[in-house]
Amino acid sequence: MEPQPLAAPAAGTTPTSTLAIASLVFGIVCWFALPVIGSLVAIACGHMACRDIRAARGALAGDGLAVGGLVLGYLHLATLVVAVLLAIAFFGGIAVLLGLVGIASN
């Protein structure tokens, strides 16, 4: 028996951008693993995918995937920045209080 050839995509379907898929995958992964690198990859792939999809003029699909990856990446980056600023304010406030009480002084 001869091996069967792989099935061709159905007529009328457009291929999905690989960068858009990568953007969405890294946008999801950055919330569980690879926090900073994952969000940066999601943002970079999302922007490149949107550019490629618009340049293809309908010959490439996946704009929603790319936008989803962009939203998840930017949202994670913003959450990370807010968390760092809150941590700095919290621990800075503790240091100021300890300094006012005199516990931290020599």
Side-chain angles (χ1 to χ4, degrees), residues 41-86:
V41 171
I43 291 168
C45 287
H47 281 293
M48 290 189 296
C50 284
R51 182 192 65 216
D52 291 347
I53 291 167
R54 288 190 182 99
R57 297 180 186 237
L60 197 57
D63 193 45
L65 299 176
V67 171
L70 282 170
V71 168
L72 288 172
Y74 277 122
L75 190 61
H76 186 267
L77 219 55
T79 303
L80 190 64
V81 168
V82 169
V84 167
L85 291 176
L86 286 174

